[in-house]
Amino acid sequence: MRWRYFIILQAIILLIAAGLVYKHQDKAKLIKTPPIELAKWYKPDNKRQVWLHNMFKLRREMQAVEFYAQQQDAEHLQVWTEQLTEHYLKIADMVPAWQKKLSINTMEELKFASEQQDFSSVLVQHKTLQKSCDSCHDDYQAITALTYRTPDFSNIQITPELSFVEHMDMLTRQVNQIKISAQDGNKSLALSSLADLNDEMATLGETCVDCHKKDRKPYPSEMMKQTLSSLKTSIESGTAKQQGRDLGTLAVLACARCHGTHRIAYGAKKHLVKEVSFSNLIKH
């Protein structure tokens, strides 16, 4: 009798949990996060992007195997199948937790078909293996890229007293102060805010090149400098329309383009790597 009550209680708890999940389905999304040991195959934990290089090899080898099977070129098919097998099995060596996700039997059957020069069977097994790869990519590819290939700005310091994030907030406030002061007819404050913005953009540029070592595009660029100069002129003697046009152009050139590359991805990464406590889950 006690067991009956226990089972009924468990069923009620499950129904309540399911109801809560359903009720909040528009407010929460479930994602699969990669095993933490994957980090050691990415920078900065590793000197090279080892995991990425292995994935690139697999993609190239999958294409080669399919191509030579279609061409019925046994010699080249055998060579590329050996490489594919090696790098496919390497996944489990690097991330043991993903051993169970590998289609080992399919890989073995593809290899055997290649050795037997059974080209049609190779193509069948290749298609099955591709579906397995696609399934894993659907679950993890985008999340892994966000986690390990997105820059982390949280530890960057502009000065010992000023963090990168605080500096970006300062730039935003300066841009807005220019707009507010110009709109309200306070030219002196608008111009002083513009001068501060000019200086802080130059400071930001010195930080950007720390990461952009190979592609050292100057920041602010010549086009940004020209826009800053045009904005200064429009504040001094131009119309509100000219001021708005110049400030809008500057915002696109100096802010929006970099934000489109870095800010969105960095914001998503912060949510992914943030530790979530049980109390936060309950609160959510």
Side-chain angles (χ1 to χ4, degrees):
M1 184 66 70
R2 291 179 178 178
W3 278 107
R4 180 184 299 174
Y5 292 142
F6 176 77
I7 293 173
I8 292 173
L9 178 61
Q10 296 299 311
I12 292 173
I13 292 174
L14 287 173
L15 286 172
I16 293 173
L20 288 172
V21 171
Y22 180 79
K23 182 179 179 181
H24 293 85
Q25 62 179 330
D26 62 330
K27 299 178 181 178
K29 294 291 184 182
L30 296 178
I31 60 170
K32 294 182 179 180
T33 54
I36 57 174
E37 59 261 40
L38 190 60
K40 67 181 180 181
W41 305 111
Y42 278 92
K43 292 181 179 182
D45 291 6
N46 201 297
K47 292 182 179 180
R48 298 174 64 249
Q49 303 283 35
V50 179
W51 181 265
L52 277 180
H53 291 162
N54 196 62
M55 290 294 107
F56 294 156
K57 290 174 184 176
L58 285 170
R59 182 170 59 190
R60 183 165 55 249
E61 289 153 3
M62 286 288 285
Q63 181 176 329
V65 166
E66 181 183 37
F67 175 76
Y68 286 118
Q70 291 171 342
Q71 299 298 312
Q72 298 190 1
D73 183 337
E75 180 180 355
H76 286 99
L77 174 62
Q78 184 64 30
V79 171
W80 284 98
T81 300
E82 290 291 341
Q83 295 179 36
L84 175 62
T85 304
E86 174 189 352
H87 295 122
Y88 186 73
L89 296 178
K90 192 175 180 180
I91 293 174
D93 294 335
M94 289 193 285
V95 185
W98 276 347
Q99 168 78 47
K100 59 185 178 182
K101 292 186 175 295
L102 298 180
S103 297
I104 303 297
N105 291 338
T106 302
M107 187 71 256
E108 290 176 347
E109 290 175 9
L110 189 154
K111 188 172 183 292
F112 178 76
S114 173
E115 293 169 350
Q116 299 300 309
Q117 299 184 23
D118 186 349
F119 303 112
S120 60
S121 293
V122 169
L123 291 172
V124 170
Q125 299 305 325
H126 178 278
K127 186 175 182 179
T128 301
L129 190 63
Q130 185 64 63
K131 288 181 179 179
S132 174
C133 294
D134 292 342
S135 175
C136 199
H137 286 170
D138 288 343
D139 287 339
Y140 296 106
Q141 190 176 45
I143 302 303
T144 299
L146 274 173
T147 304
Y148 299 115
R149 300 190 68 191
T150 300
D152 186 351
F153 300 101
S154 60
N155 295 320
I156 298 177
Q157 292 291 126
I158 301 298
T159 68
E161 297 79 24
L162 183 66
S163 72
F164 183 89
V165 174
E166 291 169 336
H167 188 251
M168 295 306 296
D169 182 63
M170 179 192 299
L171 291 171
T172 300
R173 295 181 67 85
Q174 287 168 345
V175 170
N176 283 325
Q177 190 62 60
I178 294 169
K179 177 66 175 178
I180 293 168
S181 301
Q183 184 173 313
D184 292 344
N186 191 343
K187 289 185 179 181
S188 60
L189 183 53
L191 289 170
S192 65
S193 298
L194 178 60
D196 291 341
L197 176 65
N198 206 335
D199 292 340
E200 295 306 329
M201 283 177 62
T203 300
L204 176 62
E206 295 172 2
T207 303
C208 293
V209 296
D210 290 340
C211 292
H212 294 274
K213 298 181 185 299
K214 294 183 180 180
D215 185 20
R216 287 178 173 266
K217 294 181 180 179
Y219 185 97
S221 66
E222 284 303 317
M223 188 174 293
M224 293 179 200
K225 291 178 181 178
Q226 291 173 12
T227 305
L228 284 164
S229 178
S230 179
L231 178 57
K232 182 175 183 294
T233 301
S234 65
I235 291 174
E236 290 173 336
S237 58
T239 65
K241 184 177 181 180
Q242 291 172 327
Q243 295 167 6
R245 180 191 61 202
D246 288 336
L247 189 58
T249 300
L250 181 65
V252 170
L253 294 175
C255 308
R257 289 181 178 177
C258 291
H259 285 182
T261 302
H262 294 310
R263 186 178 183 181
I264 296 172
Y266 173 59
K269 177 179 180 174
K270 285 201 301 181
H271 287 288
L272 285 174
V273 301
K274 182 173 63 175
E275 293 290 336
V276 180
S277 65
F278 183 74
S279 61
N280 284 337
L281 287 174
I282 295 299
K283 181 180 179 181
H284 178 77

